[in-house]
Amino acid sequence: MTDVKGSILGNAVLRREDPTLLTGEDKYFDDMEIDGLGFVYFARSPVAHANIISIETSEAKEVDGVVGVWTADDLELSPYLAFPLFPPHFARPPLAKGKVRLVGDIIAVVVADSFSAAADAASMIWMDYDPLPAVTDPEKALDEGAPVLFDENGSNLCFETGIGLEDGDPNEGAEHIVKVRIVSQRLAGVPLESNGIIAIPEEGGALTAWIPSQNPISVRDALAAQLGMDPVNLRVAAPTVGGGFGPKQSVYVEHIITSELARKLQRPLKWTELRSENMLSLAQGRGMTMYGEMGFSSEGKIVGFDAKVIADAGAYPAIGGFLTFFTQTMIQGVYDIPKVRFHAQSATTNTTHTAAYRGAGRPEATQLLERLIDVAADELDLDPAEIRLTNFIPEDAFPITTLGGANYDSGDYALALNMALEEAGYESLLAEQQSRREQNDIKQLGIGLSAYVEITAPTGLHTEYGAVEVNEDGTVTARVGTSAHGQGHITAFSMLISDLLGIEMEKITILQSDTDEISRGQGTMGSRSLQTAGSAVHVASETVLGKAKQLAAHLLEASSEDIITGEGGLHVVGVPSNSLSWGELAQATNDDDKRPDGMEPGLAHELDFDGTDSTFPFGAHVAVVEVDTETGAVELIRHIAVDDCGRILNPMLVTGQQHGGIAQGAAQALFEGVFYDEEGNPITGNLMDYAIPSAAELPSFETYNTETDSPRNPLGAKGIGESGTVGSTPAIQNAVIDAVNHLGVKHIDMPLTSVTVWNAIRESQSS
């Protein structure tokens, strides 16, 4: 018997998380009040590359309120290898030993009774050093004779990958070959809440660490290994977290140092990252230089694709050095490409390390592809939409394994692009653009397209823990291994449970982000939470419901097929009065006299859901810009996005993710960039020099969806958290270049600031 009730799924349900966020009831780690708290401050290297001669700390130790000052000679800590696939010689000494490799490398740590005392003391620490040549450009870092960061490695190459390298020229036989060099510049994560930790020693050698993390369980395991602790004695928990975007996934050396000193001093210690520190020490993203050559027939069909990528891993390579693997995986994109050759190298440089930043290697593949497609449209005199539609992987080809090794589950790329073109009024935009060009208008119109596919729950992240339990008071407690930091997980998971069990969302508690509550899980990254943890919660709820129906049938003397959900519990179909509340059912299942033979106590189930593989959301974006040809100023006046994330659970959550993702993509295209001078000094080290946009700089985005279910989970869901970023950046870059293409401008690298665009226009006119 199927339950007859309306489903909450698919409806725009308000976020449960928002009221306490808006009223300030939620507490961040920096809001926590701990008795006897000590404050940690790090003294950092002012130079990017140097041998350490000595570090002078005597004056710092004399400052009132200082508890202690430590250098690498005073505090023995194992070097930290941030990405275990790399050789151990890339590990970072938590306190610099013998050498510094970036501005911001930690040379000493101060603990004091107050933050001001710790800061004052740190300012009195001096390092005597022998300067070494620095290298900040990853291409130059791979040149013969470049300064080498790790002598044991013999070069700055830290990772290399490729496909089709032995197969010859993929563009052989092409009638036309287009070429492009594109820089996907470094970006800073700039979460509203910076990094930090409160480390609290407990009895018996245990430790509690409050960290604003995306991944407390994995952080617990890595931090325990660094501290030489049994993980069962280390609790890592995240309170409310103010943004992550990837850089808050992992352990930082600051966490290791603070935790070790808390144990050493047997005192709770707190480190709160300053914004200036955040721009130096929090992992950064992107940082790839890409070369592409794509062959075409005279009709505009792709013949082959040859790509080369050089990635910037920073001074102490972490997962950022590996992200070219995801670029390789997604290098075919949405296109039917017969032959692909891809070669990527990652280099260490005297800069902040890179890591996974919203999209993590996938946006770069799309940026390269979409620029090449636009260049081809220009050189072959084809409409940018037409050339894309001509080359899409057809809908009937799915599932398909690409040349990059991605196992696409489902897709209809033409549907998304055609919808985006229609919603944008593409033909009208082209007519207006032509009119402005004929009138030699100062403000020219640019129209940029992009079509994308991205991978969510990538590389082993398709499994996740979830548990659901009905309590004796009729409430529900659910546990998940993911860790929300703004995405709306509590709302989404509550909707899934409520939909199946018929229990009001307000009676459902979601526990997450605390290793004392959740034994295992992979955290939140890779746009994976709904399809993995959500599916786990869904399956657990189904299992609980099945058991509850069996119990209710036994107690109500009915067939289990005739038991359905009703108001606050289960009842016999057609006889609502013959019912049991969820509280009564939970109590009965714990009563030996009321359970049927063979039934275990408790209305609970837990599992590790396995989706078996990644999912592949896709979409198409249209960006419309105005470019002032006299000043180079760019204004994004419209952005139309059609994103497909499979079945939509809550359209309000999806729309929020679309808007946030588009804003970050637009920020890369138009505003943001981390830059260093030749000596390795950051020249964008604070928010006066690093430009992040506000809502005032962006239009209200026009977002739409198609729904193509994934067969890899019971919800049909795919990820949405990064899609907006993947799709928007190339569309906006293409739009700006399109606005000035008739003036002879063929390419401009991001960020497309007024100075950059103005220079490109002037250079094209003078050549």
Side-chain angles (χ1 to χ4, degrees):
M1 175 68 66
T2 302
D3 295 10
V4 181
K5 61 185 178 67
S7 176
I8 193 175
L9 304 184
N11 293 304
V13 176
L14 291 175
R15 287 166 37 114
R16 293 184 63 194
E17 297 88 341
D18 288 345
T20 52
L21 278 171
L22 293 171
T23 58
E25 293 176 55
D26 288 350
K27 300 299 181 186
Y28 298 84
F29 92 96
D30 201 41
D31 296 322
M32 299 175 69
E33 296 181 3
I34 310 292
D35 291 337
L37 194 63
F39 294 84
V40 173
Y41 200 102
F42 296 103
R44 298 178 182 272
S45 171
V47 293
H49 203 194
N51 289 318
I52 299 173
I53 298 173
S54 64
I55 301 171
E56 177 54 54
T57 62
S58 58
E59 288 185 40
K61 292 176 180 177
E62 298 302 316
V63 173
D64 286 344
V66 166
V67 175
V69 181
W70 294 264
T71 68
D73 293 334
D74 310 310
L75 191 66
E76 287 193 24
L77 291 168
S78 299
Y80 173 53
L81 186 63
F83 193 67
L85 293 183
F86 290 153
H89 56 249
F90 286 123
R92 178 178 184 175
L95 290 162
K97 189 163 186 148
K99 191 177 188 180
V100 292
R101 294 182 174 90
L102 78 156
V103 172
D105 224 347
I106 301 171
I107 59 171
V109 55
V110 178
V111 174
D113 294 329
S114 68
F115 173 82
S116 59
D120 288 346
S123 69
M124 298 177 182
I125 295 172
W126 301 97
M127 179 177 70
D128 189 10
Y129 58 89
D130 179 21
L132 296 170
V135 60
T136 60
D137 183 317
E139 287 191 278
K140 292 179 180 178
L142 294 176
D143 288 345
E144 188 174 347
V148 175
L149 274 71
F150 295 87
D151 295 335
E152 309 92 321
N153 197 56
S155 74
N156 291 316
L157 181 68
C158 66
F159 180 71
E160 190 165 15
T161 186
I163 53 174
L165 301 181
E166 308 298 328
D167 297 340
D169 183 3
N171 292 319
E172 185 176 357
E175 295 173 273
H176 190 86
I177 296 176
V178 299
K179 301 180 181 180
V180 71
R181 176 186 184 271
I182 177 172
V183 176
S184 187
Q185 78 275 26
R186 265 182 180 259
L187 301 176
V190 200
L192 287 178
E193 179 197 34
S194 59
N195 200 356
I197 180 174
I198 296 176
I200 306 169
E202 311 283 2
E203 291 183 8
L207 185 75
T208 292
W210 291 94
I211 300 174
S213 173
Q214 299 174 222
N215 196 0
I217 297 168
S218 294
V219 165
R220 184 268 313 270
D221 294 342
L223 185 56
Q226 287 300 125
L227 298 173
M229 294 181 66
D230 186 329
V232 300
N233 293 324
L234 176 60
R235 177 193 182 195
V236 174
T240 304
V241 178
F245 310 117
K248 287 187 181 176
Q249 283 185 32
S250 58
V251 168
Y252 282 80
V253 292
E254 290 89 346
H255 300 154
I256 297 167
I257 297 167
T258 303
S259 298
E260 178 61 21
L261 287 174
R263 293 203 302 164
K264 183 181 181 72
L265 298 172
Q266 281 298 295
R267 176 179 181 177
L269 297 180
K270 176 181 179 180
W271 168 64
T272 302
E273 185 182 58
L274 302 175
R275 185 57 65 184
S276 56
E277 281 185 296
N278 178 266
M279 301 298 288
L280 291 176
S281 59
L282 194 75
Q284 296 171 355
R286 309 286 189 262
M288 292 190 191
T289 302
M290 301 177 285
Y291 295 84
E293 297 186 9
M294 186 171 281
F296 289 85
S297 69
S298 57
E299 291 79 27
K301 271 298 270 185
I302 299 173
V303 172
F305 181 25
D306 195 0
K308 177 185 175 184
V309 174
I310 296 123
D312 190 348
Y316 298 99
I319 193 173
F322 174 77
L323 291 179
T324 53
F325 179 80
F326 290 153
T327 307
Q328 172 180 295
T329 302
M330 300 310 298
I331 198 61
Q332 188 170 331
V334 294
Y335 300 109
D336 183 10
I337 305 178
K339 293 177 289 183
V340 172
R341 180 167 63 189
F342 177 89
H343 181 216
Q345 296 175 303
S346 298
T348 54
T349 61
N350 296 112
T351 63
T352 301
H353 71 281
T354 55
Y357 172 81
R358 202 169 192 167
R362 293 101 77 194
E364 294 87 337
T366 305
Q367 291 162 9
L368 180 58
L369 280 166
E370 293 307 290
R371 278 301 301 134
L372 279 164
I373 294 292
D374 256 34
V375 171
D378 180 46
E379 294 185 7
L380 293 170
D381 196 24
L382 295 171
D383 180 84
E386 176 189 345
I387 194 171
R388 286 174 169 83
L389 291 165
T390 298
N391 285 288
F392 281 156
I393 296 169
E395 181 189 2
D396 59 8
F398 297 93
I400 183 175
T401 300
T402 70
L403 296 176
N407 299 314
Y408 291 0
D409 50 353
S410 60
D412 190 343
Y413 305 147
L415 175 66
L417 179 57
N418 282 323
M419 184 175 178
L421 296 172
E422 181 179 353
E423 296 295 345
Y426 185 58
E427 295 300 327
S428 297
L429 289 171
L430 290 174
E432 182 182 350
Q433 180 185 64
Q434 184 59 33
S435 173
R436 292 197 191 195
R437 288 181 176 180
E438 290 172 356
Q439 297 173 29
N440 199 25
D441 199 321
I442 290 173
K443 289 192 175 181
Q444 288 293 316
L445 194 72
I447 309 157
L449 310 183
S450 77
Y452 74 91
V453 58
E454 84 125 334
I455 182 172
T456 57
T459 315
L461 292 176
H462 48 74
T463 62
E464 191 50 85
Y465 170 77
V468 172
E469 180 176 10
V470 179
N471 306 309
E472 292 194 3
D473 62 358
T475 63
V476 173
T477 301
R479 290 172 168 82
V480 290
T482 50
S483 184
H485 44 284
Q487 295 88 345
H489 290 182
I490 291 175
T491 302
F493 299 155
S494 297
M495 288 176 67
L496 289 168
I497 297 166
S498 178
D499 182 69
L500 280 168
L501 303 186
I503 296 174
E504 296 96 327
M505 290 174 60
E506 293 72 22
K507 293 183 178 180
I508 299 169
T509 299
I510 309 294
L511 299 179
Q512 58 174 351
S513 311
D514 187 340
T515 60
D516 270 10
E517 293 286 355
I518 294 93
S519 60
R520 58 192 183 273
Q522 299 195 69
T524 296
M525 72 287 294
S527 299
R528 60 185 293 276
S529 296
L530 182 61
Q531 61 192 286
T532 57
S535 291
V537 165
H538 175 80
V539 173
S541 298
E542 282 186 322
T543 306
V544 167
L545 179 60
K547 183 176 182 179
K549 285 185 175 183
Q550 184 185 351
L551 177 63
H554 172 73
L555 296 173
L556 298 175
E557 299 180 341
S559 166
S560 60
E561 281 129 17
D562 291 332
I563 302 296
I564 63 172
T565 56
E567 189 70 31
L570 302 182
H571 65 82
V572 178
V573 63
V575 192
S577 60
N578 196 12
S579 65
L580 290 166
S581 71
W582 279 107
E584 290 170 327
L585 288 164
Q587 293 166 28
T589 196
N590 291 318
D591 187 333
D592 293 342
D593 295 329
K594 294 184 178 180
R595 286 195 313 273
D597 292 341
M599 178 178 283
E600 295 291 325
L603 275 183
H605 187 69
E606 66 175 4
L607 74 152
D608 292 288
F609 174 82
D610 187 352
T612 70
D613 207 338
S614 308
T615 63
F616 294 86
F618 61 91
H621 287 210
V622 179
V624 185
V625 302
E626 282 185 339
V627 175
D628 188 317
T629 55
E630 290 189 348
T631 66
V634 177
E635 182 181 0
L636 179 64
I637 58 174
R638 289 182 69 196
H639 193 95
I640 302 92
V642 177
D643 299 306
D644 193 309
C645 59
R647 181 187 175 200
I648 293 176
L649 173 71
N650 183 336
M652 181 175 292
L653 295 181
V654 169
T655 300
Q657 292 285 358
Q658 287 178 284
H659 280 252
I662 294 166
Q664 284 191 254
Q668 175 173 13
L670 300 175
F671 302 99
E672 296 187 29
V674 171
F675 300 103
Y676 295 83
D677 66 19
E678 291 185 356
E679 295 179 349
N681 297 305
I683 55 179
T684 49
N686 55 54
L687 295 182
M688 289 293 290
D689 299 313
Y690 186 89
I692 57 172
S694 70
E697 281 76 48
L698 300 170
S700 181
F701 309 128
E702 303 164 48
T703 58
Y704 306 90
N705 303 99
T706 58
E707 293 186 63
T708 308
D709 286 9
S710 173
R712 291 177 180 159
N713 61 76
L715 303 176
K718 305 181 182 185
I720 187 61
E722 293 156 297
S723 292
T725 306
V726 177
S728 63
T729 309
I732 295 168
Q733 184 178 26
N734 282 340
V736 174
I737 296 168
D738 179 63
V740 294
N741 177 265
H742 66 294
L743 301 176
V745 177
K746 300 303 179 185
H747 181 75
I748 315 173
D749 273 322
M750 303 177 290
L752 298 158
T753 63
S754 57
V755 172
T756 304
V757 175
W758 185 85
N759 283 332
I761 295 170
R762 296 300 170 266
E763 287 170 12
S764 69
Q765 292 176 338
S766 63
S767 61

